[in-house]
């Protein structure tokens, strides 16, 4: 069996399936040893009579019935071990994949900064499949190789110990050969999987950015880049396949040479026995008749499968061990964001947010993205956030979602330390519209209702009206049942933004954060959305990040960030007097509007 701490609980859960399957398999192994005995009995029946009329038909029928009965029981046994061992292995694969998926949900953003999606997909596919293969076929081969070898070898020695010494040589050679190459095969499989990871990574990145590649006419460049990775992958795969085939060829060669030796030695022993001059070994006469030789060859033929299986087990085990190691490293990754014990619950959240000398640095960076931010957002306020590109606007708002661990008491929600609130409960009270406006390849109505449970059609429609996208949806052939396409590829940028806003609005959360979520819409649509925010979200805290001053000018207060620091936090009129950054942004936008007006 494949040993690993992440598999122990599944063995404990499905042990009864493995036990039933193993007992059925052992029964099949024993029944397989009966067939050579019956074939030998049939040869003995004919060799004991000189003419056909002396043969008792009932004896032949008895042997045939015995053979058919054994074959029927073997069939039943094979059905049983397939329904049990294979079922257990598939269940383990399924539940391990679920465990990995849940792990992926729990891992923080820090982990995904350093690990590519393509690599993770390889763990979920080829690595899991190699583990399932070993748990199913590997278990069958292992039991066959052990029990059938014991049954056959014992019966071979009881039949003729001298010839058995010759027959057992290939098993010893194969075990030695397997021990020599197992570690090498495991390393080669690991190298092969890492090469596959690079293929997955490149393909995933290429398909994600296919529009950029086409826009810059870089298809040929990407093709050559992919070919380099593919050629290297091909070489590694061929090397692994060559080693696997060489391993199997050597095993087959050992077995066939042994069979030739057995036939030669066995034929000589039968001849010497028939001629009355039996061969002597260590002072003991070796007697072997024709029927015994047929039985012995039948035993050896039965032994070929477990011996071949032994070779396959070594190759299969080396692959699965390497795959389990990769998956185990993934499952043992530290989870930065965890559910805390005895969290403080927000019974009736108001939406008050306090930043208390808050500083933040990304795990992969040496410099602070935000430094000493101190401000207080009152419940129900409509807040704007502006600043130059890279000033920390998105980072400041992302901090509210506890995507990264922060210093205790640096952010308070309703005067409660954010780090003492369970992150699931925290995120439940915040409706967030991210900058990338990610949409699922699903119906529009399902994208809008993603953050809520079983909303009515009226609620979905109301959310679409709130973001001024309802009229667009009604023009689609399937209306709200229209499929968005992967990442909303069938929609315009403005439509994706507004559907994302609808998804946040329908959640009806005490706090709503919109990260530059009206940048792709026209001025008229923007005014409609801002009016709806002010009308529909009265009494609820709403924060809107924007690169346009006109978007936030009429909000209650505006946060101005400059190089990760809080420059000012006040109303539009006061900011014009106290904030150089804000004043400059207003002047630049006025000039931009004048230029556009002149061009018209």
């Amino acid at each position: 069996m494949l040993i690993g701490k992440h598999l122990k609980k599944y063995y404990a859960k499905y042990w009864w399936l493995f036990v039933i399957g193993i007992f059925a398999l052992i029964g099949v192994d024993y029944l397989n040893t009966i067939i050579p005995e019956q074939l030998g009995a049939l040869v003995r029946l004919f060799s004991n009579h000189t003419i056909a009329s002396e043969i008792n038909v009932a004896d032949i029928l008895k042997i045939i019935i015995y053979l058919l009965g054994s074959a029927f029981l073997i069939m039943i046994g094979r059905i049983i071990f397939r329904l049990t061992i294979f079922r257990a292995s598939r269940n383990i694969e399924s539940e391990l994949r679920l465990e990995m998926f849940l792990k992926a949900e729990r891992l923080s953003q820090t982990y995904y900064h350093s690990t590519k999606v393509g690599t993770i997909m390889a763990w979920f596919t080829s690595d899991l499949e190699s583990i399932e293969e070993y748990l199913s076929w590997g278990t069958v081969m292992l039991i066959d190789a052990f029990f059938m070898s014991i049954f056959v070898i014992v019966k071979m020695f009881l039949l003729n110990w001298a010839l058995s010494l010759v027959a057992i040589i290939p098993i010893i050679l194969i075990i030695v050969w397997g021990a020599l190459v197992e570690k090498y095969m495991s390393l080669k499989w690991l190298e092969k999987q890492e090469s596959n990871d690079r293929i997955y990574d490149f393909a995933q990145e290429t398909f994600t950015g296919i529009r950029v590649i086409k826009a810059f006419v870089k298809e040929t460049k990407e093709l050559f880049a992919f070919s380099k990775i593919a050629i290297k992958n091909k070489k590694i795969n061929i090397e692994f396949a060559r080693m696997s085939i060489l391993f199997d060829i050597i095993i087959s060669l050992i077995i066939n040479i042994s069979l030739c030796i057995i036939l030669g030695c066995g034929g000589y022993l039968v001849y010497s026995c028939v001629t009355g001059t039996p061969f002597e070994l260590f002072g003991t006469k070796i007697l072997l008749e024709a029927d015994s030789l047929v039985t012995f060859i039948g035993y050896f033929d039965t032994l070929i499968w477990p011996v071949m299986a032994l070779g396959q087990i070594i190759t299969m085990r080396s692959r699965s061990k390497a795959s389990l190691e990769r998956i185990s490293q993934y499952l043992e990754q530290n989870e930065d964001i965890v559910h805390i014990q005895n969290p403080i619950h927000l019974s009736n959240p108001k939406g008050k947010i306090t930043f208390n000398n808050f500083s933040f640095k990304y795990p992969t960076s040496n410099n602070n993205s935000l430094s000493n931010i101190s401000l207080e957002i009152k419940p129900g306020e409509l807040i704007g956030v502006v600043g130059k590109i890279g000033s920390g606007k998105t980072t400041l708002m992302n901090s509210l979602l506890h995507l990264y661990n922060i210093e205790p008491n640096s952010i308070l929600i309703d005067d409660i330390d954010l780090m003492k609130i369970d992150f699931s409960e925290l995120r439940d009270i915040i409706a967030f519209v991210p900058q990338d406006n990610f949409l699922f390849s699903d119906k529009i109505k399902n994208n809008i209702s993603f953050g809520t449970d079983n909303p009515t059609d009226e609620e979905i429609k109301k959310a679409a009206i709130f973001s001024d996208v309802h009229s667009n949806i009604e023009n689609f052939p399937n209306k709200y049942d229209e499929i968005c396409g992967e990442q909303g590829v069938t929609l315009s940028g403005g439509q994706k933004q507004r559907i994302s806003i609808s998804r946040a609005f329908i959640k009806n959360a005490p706090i709503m954060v919109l990260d530059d979520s009206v940048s792709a819409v026209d001025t008229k649509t923007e005014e409609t959305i801002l009016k709806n925010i002010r009308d529909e979200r009265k009494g609820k805290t709403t924060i809107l990040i924007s690169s346009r001053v006109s978007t936030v000018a009429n909000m209650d207060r505006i946060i101005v960030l400059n190089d990760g620091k809080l420059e000012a936090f006040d109303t539009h009129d006061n900011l014009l007097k106290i904030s150089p950054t804000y004043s400059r942004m207003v002047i630049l936008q006025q000039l931009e509007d004048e230029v556009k007006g002149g061009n018209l």
Side-chain angles (χ1 to χ4, degrees), residues 570-585:
D570 213 322
T571 62
H572 169 76
D573 293 336
N574 289 336
L575 287 175
L576 291 173
K577 302 173 185 176
I578 64 174
S579 173
T581 298
Y582 190 79
S583 300
R584 187 169 184 272
M585 289 179 69

Side-chain angles (χ1 to χ4, degrees), residues 381-429:
E381 273 195 303
L382 182 56
I383 301 295
V385 183
V386 296
K388 294 183 295 184
I389 294 173
S391 60
K393 302 185 295 296
T394 297
T395 300
L396 182 68
M397 293 301 105
N398 282 345
S399 302
L400 296 175
L401 296 171
H402 194 176
L403 298 177
Y404 300 91
N405 287 323
I406 59 176
E407 290 296 322
N409 294 310
S410 58
I411 299 180
L412 308 177
I413 304 294
D414 289 351
D415 298 323
I416 299 173
D417 183 7
L418 181 145
M419 295 297 292
K420 293 181 180 179
I421 305 170
D422 184 83
F423 64 81
S424 294
E425 184 176 350
L426 172 69
R427 294 169 188 172
D428 193 49
I429 67 167

Side-chain angles (χ1 to χ4, degrees), residues 217-259:
V217 198
K218 293 297 180 182
E219 293 92 339
T220 305
K221 177 179 177 293
E222 291 298 304
L223 179 62
F224 278 114
F226 180 79
S227 66
K228 289 180 181 179
I229 299 173
I231 289 170
K232 188 174 181 180
N233 179 268
K234 175 186 173 182
K235 290 179 179 178
I236 293 172
N237 277 269
I238 288 174
E239 188 176 350
F240 179 81
R242 185 183 289 120
M243 190 62 198
S244 299
I245 292 169
L246 178 63
F247 184 76
D248 292 339
I249 288 172
I250 291 176
I251 291 175
S252 299
L253 188 62
I254 293 171
I255 290 173
N256 285 291
I257 290 173
S258 301
L259 182 59

